[in-house]
Structures are given as structure tokens and as C-alpha cells.
């Protein structure tokens, strides 16, 4: 019986779920009579943890005899909480989940000293061993891990304690992984990591993210499209900036880890940029590549945030011309400095988050209107839905999933563009 893997959170988790699928099958998990369900969790917010626990309880009701395994960032940081759940059979840390032998800890495999909780200190992990996968189940674009962990300590963030220190995958291994995926039909790849722009210092030869991107584009010439997941703009190296400005195969869409638009809040968050630096980066790159589109993570209601401070974040949507927003109402994470700071009333936090979302919706609607009567290359994902070069959701009938087609934008439907197919299977 095939093991079911339920993935929460980021694209890095999506890649690692494929590694887990391979490793758990090698361990023999697929051969268990009543099957197994693995939950690859996220810890970025308290709500993400709540949703994972809710899903685990539901899975137990629907699969009373299946083995339930919990892993991911929430398991790494809150391992005992999940081990205390009667519904759970095994809890694995973020490093343990990537190795076949970890899944053989279950009593089904004759283990004499069965331990329900197998979560080691992630801070002891110093290298990022390459893991090769052949596909990303359910996705027409492939995610490739190039970096893991984070050496920064933003005051609101629990993720460094779930992922450990920053460590990079060697460039050669990344290129080989992308060649494999491209050979299996993937025309678009997204580079993922916890702190993507910190790629390289732990590798020999002064590697940088820009050098890695350049190497991929040179050595995988048949790859049509390359994307970056969330980045910190202040860490973008000169080579990467040049590629973003002029390389057509590097897609004109960046998701920025901005978090706030007020300098005092940014300092209290221990971010590495100030408001003007974000605005300057967006304007400078757009001047060089006018079709560049930006998304961003923004937090509403960070501790000590006043109405005036919030207005600075709200104004950042227009100042940076953001179009794809991920808005998070601030969620205190136990063990982080921000959880001990003076908190904003929860009602106010929710109101501010809703205002940010509304501002984002207005900006996105304006973006959709701007794209009317233009032509784009669209990667078709499923059911006639795809993404343009700038990551705009588009409906296009008559195209095959996994192909890149040319479409003429003829209208919009809610949050989607409507495109008419003008050229099939163009790459």
C-alpha cells in the first residue's frame, strides 16, 4: 500500500516530501499491511501547527489501523507535543526524515527498543547532503533544494530552531539534480531554501547564489525557465543582480522577505534591511527589467507596532509596487524574543492583516488589468490553469499540463487572467 504524504508549508518541504517518499519506500513502509501516513509539518505560525494537529486527528479517524508519522519543522521544535498525541506512532526530526533507517524505528520492523520520539539536535547538522529525486508529485514545476537552515535570528522566527545552521548543496549536485528533472520533462525549476540568498559561504571556491544560477543556466541549456523562491534583497550578489536584469530564462518574478515597512519595527525584528533599501532595490531592478513583478511576505501587528508604524507597512505595497502578497497576522512563537515583547491586541492584529490583504488585492487587480491584451508564455499546471512568466495565475483551455504555451490575454476571471491559446507546446 502506497504511503500517503501530507505536506504543509514551503516549497522546501515539497521537495523534501519527495525525498521522504523515496526513503520511506526503501525502508519498506509501503509494504505495511495497513499503510502509513506521513505528515511533513510547518512551524512558521501557531495556526500552521494547529492545522497539522487537526489533520492528524482526522487521518486517525479515517485510517484507524495505519501508522501515522509526524515530521517537519513543527515536529523538530515541538516534538514532545506530537509524541504525546495518541494518534501518532512516530515523530521524526527534520534530519531524520531524510533517511530510510529512521522509518524502520516503527515496531513493525522488529525494533526491540522502540522510541516514539526520534528528534536529534538540528544544530549539530553541519552539511547539506544532496538528495536526488525524479519528480515532484502533483506539480508541473519542480522544486530543488539548494540551501537549508538559517544563521540569522529574526526575533519573530522559530524556523532556525527547526532547520539548524545555514548549509548549502554543492553546485555540481544542484546542476545534476536539475538535469535529471529536466530530462524527465520538467521545463521550469524553482530553487528553494530557508535563507536562499545566504547560499555558498560554507562551500569551497567562494560560491554565491549568482554563481549557482549562472552555472545552472550554462549547464542545463534545455531548461526553459528558472525561478527563485523567497529571497532577502539585501543579500543579492552582483552576479545575481545582473542575471535578474538581463537573463530571459530567469523569470521576472521575485518573492521578497520584507516583513514590515517601518524602520523601528524592522530593527525590533532584527531584519537586515531598512525600508528605503527595499524600495531602492525594487525600483532599481524594475528600471533595468520593466516586466519584473514582486511578491512579499508581510507581518501585521508585530509587538509594539503603532498605527503610524502599520501605515508605513501598508504604504510599502505601493512604494515597492507589490502584487503578490503573503500576509501573516503576527503569531507569537514560544522561545522567540518577540513573544516576550509587549503584544498588540489580537483584534487589532486581525484588522491590520485584513487591511493589508485588501491593499494587496487592489494592487493585484491593477496588475491583472495592466496585462490585458498582452502575450505571455504560460506554464500549464493542471485543468487548464497555468502561470505566466511573472507568476500570474492564468486560465488557458486546450493546453497540456507540463507544457509551455503562448497565450493572448483576453480577459480576467476573479484572481485569474483568461488567455487564448496562440501557440502550442512552445518552449
Amino acid at each position: 500500500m502506497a504511503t500517503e504524504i501530507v505536506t504543509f508549508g514551503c516549497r522546501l518541504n515539497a521537495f523534501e516530501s519527495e525525498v521522504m517518499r523515496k526513503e520511506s519506500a526503501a525502508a519498506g513502509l509501503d509494504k505495511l499491511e495497513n499503510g502509513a501516513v506521513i505528515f511533513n509539518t510547518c512551524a512558521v505560525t501557531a495556526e500552521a501547527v494547529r492545522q497539522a494537529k487537526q489533520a492528524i486527528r482526522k487521518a486517525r479517524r479515517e485510517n484507524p489501523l495505519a501508522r501515522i508519522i509526524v515530521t517537519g519543522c513543527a515536529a523538530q521544535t515541538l516534538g514532545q507535543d506530537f509524541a504525546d498525541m495518541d494518534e501518532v506512532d512516530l515523530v521524526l526530526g527534520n534530519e531524520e526524515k531524510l533517511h530510510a533507517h529512521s522509518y524502520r524505528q516503527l515496531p513493525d520492523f522488529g525494533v526491540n527498543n522502540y522510541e516514539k520520539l526520534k528528534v536529534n539536535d538540528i544544530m549539530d547538522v553541519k552539511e547539506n547532503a544532496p538528495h536526488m529525486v525524479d519528480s515532484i508529485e502533483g506539480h508541473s514545476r519542480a522544486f530543488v533544494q539548494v540551501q537549508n537552515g538559517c544563521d540569522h535570528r529574526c526575533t519573530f522566527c522559530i524556523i532556525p530552531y527547526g532547520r539548524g545552521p545555514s548549509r548549502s548543496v554543492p553546485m555540481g549536485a544542484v546542476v545534476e539534480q536539475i538535469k535529471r528533472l529536466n530530462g524527465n520533462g520538467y521545463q521550469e525549476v524553482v530553487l528553494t531554501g530557508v535563507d536562499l540568498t545566504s547560499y555558498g559561504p560554507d562551500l569551497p571556491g567562494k560560491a554565491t547564489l549568482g554563481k549557482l544560477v549562472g552555472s545552472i543556466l550554462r549547464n542545463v541549456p534545455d531548461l526553459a525557465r528558472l525561478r527563485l523562491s523567497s529571497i532577502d534583497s539585501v543579500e543579492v550578489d552582483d552576479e545575481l543582480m545582473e542575471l535578474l536584469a538581463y537573463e530571459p530564462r530567469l523569470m521576472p518574478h521575485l518573492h521578497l522577505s520584507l516583513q514590515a515597512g517601518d524602520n523601528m519595527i524592522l530593527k525590533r525584528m532584527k531584519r537586515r534591511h531598512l525600508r528605503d533599501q527595499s524600495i531602492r532595490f525594487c525600483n532599481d531592478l524594475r528600471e533595468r527589467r520593466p516586466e519584473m513583478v514582486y511578491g512579499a511576505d508581510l507581518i501585521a501587528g508585530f509587538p509594539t507596532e503603532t498605527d503610524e508604524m502599520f501605515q508605513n507597512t501598508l504604504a510599502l505595497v505601493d512604494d515597492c509596487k507589490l502584487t503578490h502578497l503573503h500576509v501573516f497576522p503576527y503569531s507569537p512563537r514560544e522561545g522567540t524574543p518577540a513573544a516576550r515583547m509587549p503584544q498588540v491586541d489580537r483584534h487589532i492584529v486581525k484588522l491590520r492583516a485584513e487591511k493589508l490583504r485588501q491593499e494587496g488585492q487592489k494592487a493585484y487587480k491593477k496588475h491583472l488589468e495592466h496585462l490585458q491584451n498582452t502575450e505571455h508564455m504560460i506554464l500549464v499546471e493542471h485543468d487548464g490553469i497555468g502561470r505566466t512568466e511573472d507568476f500570474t495565475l492564468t486560465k488557458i483551455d486546450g493546453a497540456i499540463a507540463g507544457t509551455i504555451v503562448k497565450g493572448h490575454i483576453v480577459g480576467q476571471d476573479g484572481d485569474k487572467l483568461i488567455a487564448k491559446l496562440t501557440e502550442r507546446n512552445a518552449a
Side-chain angles (χ1 to χ4, degrees), residues 348-364:
I348 293 175
V349 171
K350 290 178 181 178
L351 285 177
R352 288 177 181 171
E354 183 55 32
K355 282 184 180 179
L356 261 180
R357 290 190 187 103
Q358 290 173 359
E359 195 69 16
Q361 287 166 1
K362 281 165 47 181
Y364 187 67

Side-chain angles (χ1 to χ4, degrees), residues 168-224:
S168 310
V169 178
M171 285 200 291
V174 174
V175 169
E176 286 306 308
Q177 172 65 93
I178 294 174
K179 281 183 179 178
R180 178 184 294 201
L181 289 163
N182 185 226
N184 288 338
Y186 285 93
Q187 298 193 61
E188 180 174 310
V189 164
V190 184
L191 303 185
T192 70
V194 174
D195 185 22
L196 191 61
T197 35
S198 71
Y199 178 88
D202 55 318
L203 298 175
K206 297 182 179 178
T208 64
L209 186 58
K211 284 185 170 61
L212 174 65
V213 169
S215 179
I216 293 166
L217 293 169
R218 285 191 305 273
N219 291 293
V220 196
D222 292 334
L223 181 69

Side-chain angles (χ1 to χ4, degrees), residues 213-254:
V213 169
S215 179
I216 293 166
L217 293 169
R218 285 191 305 273
N219 291 293
V220 196
D222 292 334
L223 181 69
R225 292 162 49 142
L226 184 65
R227 288 191 192 275
L228 306 178
S229 61
S230 181
I231 67 166
D232 269 330
S233 60
V234 291
E235 293 183 324
V236 171
D237 60 275
D238 291 343
E239 189 169 349
L240 180 57
M241 192 69 173
E242 288 301 303
L243 289 166
L244 286 168
Y246 300 117
E247 173 52 61
R249 293 163 61 206
L250 188 57
M251 294 296 96
H253 167 258
L254 288 177

Side-chain angles (χ1 to χ4, degrees), residues 31-102:
K31 295 180 173 63
L32 295 184
E33 182 179 355
N34 297 304
V37 184
I38 305 176
F39 289 88
N40 195 11
T41 62
C42 172
V44 72
T45 63
E47 177 61 16
V49 176
R50 187 196 69 78
Q51 289 177 1
K53 290 182 176 180
Q54 183 182 51
I56 290 165
R57 294 187 183 102
K58 181 181 178 185
R60 175 56 73 209
R61 290 194 300 270
E62 295 176 351
N63 306 276
L65 299 178
R67 289 299 187 186
I68 291 183
I69 301 168
V70 183
T71 185
C73 288
Q76 182 70 46
T77 57
L78 298 167
Q80 193 61 54
D81 284 16
F82 288 98
D84 289 342
M85 294 178 68
D86 293 336
E87 296 87 353
V88 174
D89 294 293
L90 180 65
V91 181
L92 298 176
N94 260 332
E95 179 64 18
E96 289 74 29
K97 72 182 182 182
L98 302 175
H99 303 284
H101 62 80
S102 300

Side-chain angles (χ1 to χ4, degrees), residues 109-219:
F109 298 106
V111 177
N112 292 325
N113 298 311
Y114 161 59
E115 295 179 50
K116 188 175 182 179
L117 181 63
K118 296 292 291 183
V119 177
N120 293 326
D121 188 350
I122 196 72
M123 295 301 174
D124 290 337
V125 181
K126 304 301 182 187
E127 293 183 351
N128 205 0
H131 294 275
M132 294 290 172
V133 301
D134 294 314
S135 63
I136 307 293
E137 188 171 285
H139 293 274
S140 294
R141 66 173 49 81
F143 309 128
V144 172
Q145 181 193 55
V146 306
Q147 183 273 342
N148 203 344
C150 184
D151 292 336
H152 305 298
R153 291 295 179 268
C154 297
T155 58
F156 56 84
C157 188
I158 197 70
I159 298 305
Y161 305 99
R163 287 288 179 175
S166 180
R167 50 208 189 274
S168 310
V169 178
M171 285 200 291
V174 174
V175 169
E176 286 306 308
Q177 172 65 93
I178 294 174
K179 281 183 179 178
R180 178 184 294 201
L181 289 163
N182 185 226
N184 288 338
Y186 285 93
Q187 298 193 61
E188 180 174 310
V189 164
V190 184
L191 303 185
T192 70
V194 174
D195 185 22
L196 191 61
T197 35
S198 71
Y199 178 88
D202 55 318
L203 298 175
K206 297 182 179 178
T208 64
L209 186 58
K211 284 185 170 61
L212 174 65
V213 169
S215 179
I216 293 166
L217 293 169
R218 285 191 305 273
N219 291 293

